[in-house]
Amino acid sequence: MSALKYWLWLTELPGLTNQTRLALLQHFPTPEDVYYAEAEEVLLTEGITREQAILLENKDCAAAAVSYTHLRAHE
């Protein structure tokens, strides 16, 4: 999966606020690192709740793949 797909996954994951996404990106170097992080590591991120950590367990990239395909078609 390209780096862009991980960005799309993180931005399209329902239930997360932009503030939560920013906190995750301040804790982890890349969205890919967020994607592969264990729940225990996610919970070390300042301001992240257990409920938000559970949301991050959703690794479904279908929406990201659709967006990626759409973006590629318009290049």
Side-chain angles (χ1 to χ4, degrees):
M1 184 183 303
S2 76
L4 178 57
K5 286 186 182 178
Y6 292 110
W7 278 100
L8 292 170
W9 166 80
L10 184 59
T11 59
E12 295 183 2
L13 193 62
L16 296 180
T17 65
N18 288 337
Q19 184 177 6
T20 300
R21 290 179 180 96
L22 180 58
L24 288 164
L25 291 171
Q26 289 173 337
H27 184 83
F28 295 95
T30 68
E32 183 175 359
D33 293 322
V34 176
Y35 184 88
Y36 287 109
E38 298 291 328
E40 296 80 24
E41 178 66 20
V42 170
L43 287 170
L44 295 176
T45 304
E46 186 175 335
I48 299 297
T49 65
R50 182 162 301 283
E51 292 78 18
Q52 291 167 324
I54 290 169
L55 291 173
L56 290 162
E57 292 176 3
N58 177 0
K59 305 302 184 194
D60 182 9
C61 291
V66 169
S67 293
Y68 181 78
T69 300
H70 180 72
L71 289 169
R72 297 284 301 182
H74 290 90
E75 283 187 326

